Amino acid sequence: QDGERIATSFLIEQGHTLLFRNYRTRLGEIDIISFKDGTLFFIEVKHWNLSSGFHPLHAFPKQKKMRMWRVTQQLF
């Protein structure tokens, strides 16, 4: 939750309008949905420790991307 709070604050400082946090459907969840300059943003937040040797992209596998895609399609 700290990572989402930090990300939300950052996005608002950058001029984004926050639309949803933790948007959930039966198909999955999107951490943050925001809007800026005519673009809709779907954001997955990952918070990690640099000393762990773990890269955050490893926490966003193809299956998660596909679940997010299906959730976004329900919005339209």
Side-chain angles (χ1 to χ4, degrees), residues 13-72:
E13 288 172 8
Q14 299 301 310
H16 286 246
T17 300
L18 182 66
L19 301 177
F20 296 100
R21 254 185 88 182
N22 300 313
Y23 181 84
R24 296 178 198 271
T25 73
R26 63 179 179 81
L27 296 176
E29 181 219 0
I30 298 175
D31 293 333
I32 300 171
I33 301 175
S34 68
F35 184 79
K36 181 181 177 186
D37 298 332
T39 301
L40 198 55
F41 292 83
F42 300 97
I43 300 160
E44 173 71 13
V45 177
K46 295 296 178 194
H47 186 162
W48 79 100
N49 183 334
L50 289 175
S51 65
S52 71
F54 172 79
H55 195 281
L57 287 177
H58 295 151
F60 196 54
K62 185 177 181 177
Q63 296 88 346
K64 175 66 176 175
K65 292 175 192 172
M66 292 305 296
R67 258 193 318 264
M68 280 184 71
W69 175 253
R70 285 192 293 270
V71 173
T72 65

